[in-house]
Structures are given as structure tokens and as C-alpha cells.
Amino acid sequence: MDDLLNVHKTFEKIIAIGAAIQYKEFEGCVFKQCDFSNSDFANSTFSDCEFINCNVSMLQVNNTAFQSVAFKNCKVLGIQFHQCSDFLFAVNFEDCILDFASFSGKKMPKTKFISCSLKETVFVGTNLTSAVFDQCNLENAAFNETQLAGADLTTAFHYKINPEFNPMKKAKFSSSGIIGLLEQYDIKIE
């Protein structure tokens, strides 16, 4: 990982807790069973990369570019994705723990969150048009001025979303999830 440019490389079982991995480029790389918790990826670029079974909790991502990056079975606790570069920002998550992360103000249409924990994650001002939240726990996640048009939350649970402050035309919800859309009205549904 000392090279400035890394193309089609696989990095396995790298332990770099609290490391400075800045100003580097990774294209088509795969990271397996790595621990980058509390590291600083500032000003680095990741294009068409995969993180599999990694711990990237509390990763510093100031001006980091995540361009078509997939996270699978990863700990992604507390990452402030809103600090990432907006240019070609595209991420997907499967079987990840994303609690306490922030995606505020990010444009993330068609993003997929599959079987993820998103407790207390912030989506304020985020564009999640046609995003998918499949089997996701959205307990205490913050939605405000969040674009949810066409989003699929039919199997998501524990969410509380106010339809008055979040555009959600043609969004999909299950009938059991309607309670999370009406909670602010303090009504009883039996």
C-alpha cells in the first residue's frame, strides 16, 4: 500500500489501525479482512474497489473519492461520508454495520443497502432517489429534506420518516412500516 497508484491489486489481512493512507489511488482493488479503523484516507481515490470483511470504523475520509465502491460484511461505524468528494460518489453496502455514519447532503441515487444496520445514521439533505433499503434497521436514523422518490423501504424496519419534510413520491413501504411514517401525528393504529 506504499505505492501512490495501485491497480487491480488484492490486499489481504492488512492491519493498519490509525494509519495515514493519504493521497493514494486505488483502481479495481480488493481489500479482504483488513482493519483500517481510525485511519486517515484523506485525499485518496478508490475506483471500482471492494472492501470485504473489513473494519473501516471511524475512518477519516476528508476529500476521499469513493467511485463505485462496494462494502460487504464490513464494520463502517461512524464514517462521515458527507466529507467525501462529491465527484462520481457511488457506494453500495451489503451486510454492513453503518451505525452513526453520516451521508448528509450526498447524491446517492440507486444506492443499495442490503441487510445493513443503519442505527442513528444521518441522511439529512441526501438524495436517495430509487435507493433500496432491503432488510435494513433504520432505528433513530435521521431523515430531513431527504429525497426518497422511488426508494424501496418495503423490508426496512424501525424507521421514522416524516412525509411532510421528505419528498417520497412513489416510494415503497410495507403496510407494517406505515407506523414509522405516521408517528409524528401521535395517533393509534390498531
Side-chain angles (χ1 to χ4, degrees):
M1 293 192 56
D2 293 330
D3 297 334
L4 290 177
L5 177 62
N6 299 274
V7 180
H8 300 294
K9 292 182 180 177
T10 298
F11 300 94
E12 290 192 61
K13 298 181 180 176
I14 305 279
I15 306 297
I17 299 170
I21 304 169
Q22 303 169 331
Y23 297 97
K24 307 226 183 238
E25 290 187 43
F26 300 89
E27 185 178 324
C29 293
V30 178
F31 301 87
K32 292 181 179 179
Q33 297 177 321
C34 296
D35 189 345
F36 296 116
S37 56
N38 294 300
S39 290
D40 190 348
F41 278 15
N43 299 295
S44 290
T45 300
F46 296 84
S47 300
D48 300 313
C49 292
E50 282 186 287
F51 288 83
I52 303 167
N53 297 316
C54 293
N55 183 357
V56 292
S57 297
M58 302 305 293
L59 188 67
Q60 301 300 309
V61 291
N62 190 37
N63 203 36
T64 303
F66 286 123
Q67 302 165 346
S68 295
V69 175
F71 294 87
K72 296 178 183 174
N73 199 34
C74 292
K75 283 186 179 179
V76 194
L77 294 164
I79 295 182
Q80 304 301 299
F81 286 99
H82 66 272
Q83 296 175 345
C84 288
S85 169
D86 290 331
F87 184 68
L88 299 176
F89 181 79
V91 289
N92 285 294
F93 303 91
E94 184 175 342
D95 295 313
C96 290
I97 301 171
L98 283 146
D99 301 343
F100 310 106
S102 173
F103 294 97
S104 293
K106 297 309 282 182
K107 293 179 182 172
M108 304 173 62
K110 300 181 181 177
T111 298
K112 292 182 181 175
F113 298 92
I114 311 295
S115 299
C116 292
S117 178
L118 293 149
K119 295 177 185 175
E120 300 194 38
T121 296
V122 179
F123 293 106
V124 175
T126 307
N127 182 340
L128 291 166
T129 302
S130 299
V132 175
F133 292 88
D134 184 14
Q135 297 293 324
C136 290
N137 184 352
L138 292 161
E139 185 177 343
N140 294 321
F143 293 90
N144 192 16
E145 296 182 21
T146 306
Q147 178 56 256
L148 291 165
D152 187 346
L153 290 96
T154 53
T155 61
F157 49 95
H158 299 308
Y159 54 82
K160 295 175 187 169
I161 304 171
N162 188 332
E164 294 179 26
F165 302 113
N166 298 283
M168 54 180 67
K169 186 175 182 176
K170 297 190 179 184
K172 299 174 191 169
F173 300 91
S174 68
S175 56
S176 62
I178 290 175
I179 294 168
L181 300 174
L182 301 174
E183 185 173 279
Q184 68 274 2
Y185 299 113
D186 195 26
I187 58 176
K188 293 182 181 180
I189 299 171
E190 297 182 18

